[in-house]
Amino acid sequence: MIDFLQQLVEGLSAGAIYAGLALALVLIYRFTGIVNFAQGELAMFSAFLAWQLSQIMPFWAALILTLALSFAGGMLIERVVIRPVEGAPEITLVIVTVGLFFTIHATAGWIWSYQTKSFPNPFPEGALRGGGLSVGYGSLGILLVVGVVMALLYLLFRYTRIGLAMRAVACNPQSARLVGIRVGTVLALGWGLAALVGAVSGVLSAPLLFLEPNMMGGVLIYAFAAATLGGFDSPGGAVAGGLIVGVAETLTGAYVDAIGTELKIGVPLVIILGVLLLRPQGLFGHAAVERV
C-alpha cells in the first residue's frame, strides 16, 4: 500500500507539469479555436531564456523577467504570425503552428546548441517523510505552483474587466466586437497569457528533464492527452486531465510489466484514442451544438 501511495504522489507531481502545458493549450484553443502544436517549443524557449538570464542575475529575478518576455513574445506571435491567417481553413492554421514549432526548435538549437544543460532547481532539496511515504519538496512545489496559477486564472476571468472581455471573446467574438470589445487585442492577450503559463511549465520541467531543445517533445504529447481528456474548452478540465494522465502513466509504468518505463509514452496515446472514440468533448468539455 505504501508503494502504491508513493507512486500516486509521483504521478500527481508529473501530472502537474502536464497540466500546466495543457492549460496553455486550452487557453489558446478557447480564444482562437487553434490547436497550437508549437506550445511545447514556446515553453522550451522560455526555459532557455530563464537559464540564460540566470547566468547574469539572481534566479527569481531572471524568472520574473522571463515570464514578462514570454507574455510579450506570445502577443507578438499572435500579431505577426497568427493574425494574417485569421479565418483561414483549419489545415492552414495547423501548418502555421507546425511551422512555428520547427522555427522555434531550430532557433533554440542555433542559439544554445543541442547539448544538455543543467537548470537550477527553484525548490530546496529534501523531502517530507512520514508513515513510510517520502514527498519531495520539488513535487510539493510543482503542485503548489500549478495550483496558484489555476487560482490566479480563475480570479482573472471571474473578477476583472479584462477577464470578462476575454470570456466574451472566447464565447462569441462577433458579439463581443459589436459591444465595443477590441477582439484583436484580447486575442493577443490570450496568446500572451498562454505563453506565460507555458513558460511556467517549461521552467518546472527543465530541472527534471535537463535543458535541451528536445526536452518538451514528450511533455507535449502528455499535455495533448490531458487537454483531450479534460476537454479543450475547459481550463479546469485540462488541469484535472493532467493529474489523471500523470497518475495513469506512473501507475501503469510501475505495475504493468509489459509496459514498464520504456513504453509509458503509449499511455497518453491510448488515452487520446479512447477519449476521441467514447467522448470527443472530454470529461469536462461541452459538445458543440449547431442549429441548422
Side-chain angles (χ1 to χ4, degrees):
M1 185 64 180
I2 296 298
D3 181 67
F4 174 81
L5 293 176
Q6 187 69 53
Q7 295 293 336
L8 185 64
V9 170
E10 293 178 5
L12 289 174
S13 176
I17 294 178
Y18 308 150
L21 195 59
L23 185 57
L25 288 169
V26 166
L27 287 174
I28 288 182
Y29 184 81
R30 286 200 65 184
F31 291 127
T32 64
I34 296 174
V35 177
N36 184 17
F37 290 92
Q39 194 66 62
E41 300 309 283
L42 288 172
M44 173 272 294
F45 201 90
S46 296
F48 266 111
L49 277 179
W51 174 81
Q52 187 70 67
L53 292 171
S54 69
Q55 308 300 305
I56 58 176
M57 63 178 67
F59 175 79
W60 291 106
L63 178 58
I64 293 173
L65 182 55
T66 296
L67 296 179
L69 291 174
S70 299
F71 182 83
M75 293 185 66
L76 181 64
I77 288 173
E78 193 280 333
R79 184 62 61 96
V80 175
V81 179
I82 301 301
R83 191 165 301 184
V85 295
E86 184 179 358
E90 291 184 2
I91 187 62
T92 300
L93 299 174
V94 169
I95 292 172
V96 168
T97 60
V98 171
L100 188 60
F101 172 101
F102 287 111
T103 300
I104 296 173
H105 184 89
T107 302
W110 175 62
I111 296 174
W112 290 292
S113 82
Y114 288 87
Q115 294 181 346
T116 58
K117 298 172 176 60
S118 179
F119 192 89
N121 195 330
F123 306 111
E125 299 292 335
L128 292 177
R129 294 180 172 83
L133 286 176
S134 176
V135 184
Y137 293 129
S139 298
L140 292 174
I142 291 171
L143 290 168
L144 177 62
V145 168
V146 173
V148 168
V149 169
M150 190 64 200
L152 291 176
L153 287 176
Y154 173 79
L155 294 175
L156 172 68
F157 291 135
R158 183 70 176 83
Y159 295 108
T160 69
R161 291 173 60 89
I162 294 177
L164 180 60
M166 297 175 92
R167 287 164 57 197
V169 170
C171 290
N172 194 319
Q174 289 78 21
S175 297
R177 186 175 283 109
L178 290 175
V179 298
I181 296 175
R182 301 179 63 179
V183 173
T185 300
V186 171
L187 292 177
L189 287 173
W191 272 79
L193 191 61
L196 187 152
V197 173
V200 173
S201 178
V203 169
L204 292 176
S205 301
L208 305 176
L209 303 175
F210 292 104
L211 187 61
E212 52 97 14
N214 297 304
M215 60 176 265
M216 296 300 289
V219 178
L220 183 63
I221 295 175
Y222 287 105
F224 268 119
T228 304
L229 178 61
F232 262 93
D233 62 347
S234 173
V239 174
L243 297 177
I244 294 171
V245 169
V247 170
E249 172 221 7
T250 302
L251 294 181
T252 303
Y255 296 112
V256 180
D257 294 335
I259 293 179
T261 58
E262 292 80 10
L263 299 179
K264 288 196 300 182
I265 194 65
V267 174
L269 300 178
V270 171
I271 290 174
I272 292 173
L273 181 61
V275 172
L276 292 179
L277 289 175
L278 300 175
R279 188 178 171 83
Q281 69 269 31
L283 296 178
F284 303 96
H286 303 285
V289 177
E290 295 183 3
R291 291 184 178 179
V292 295

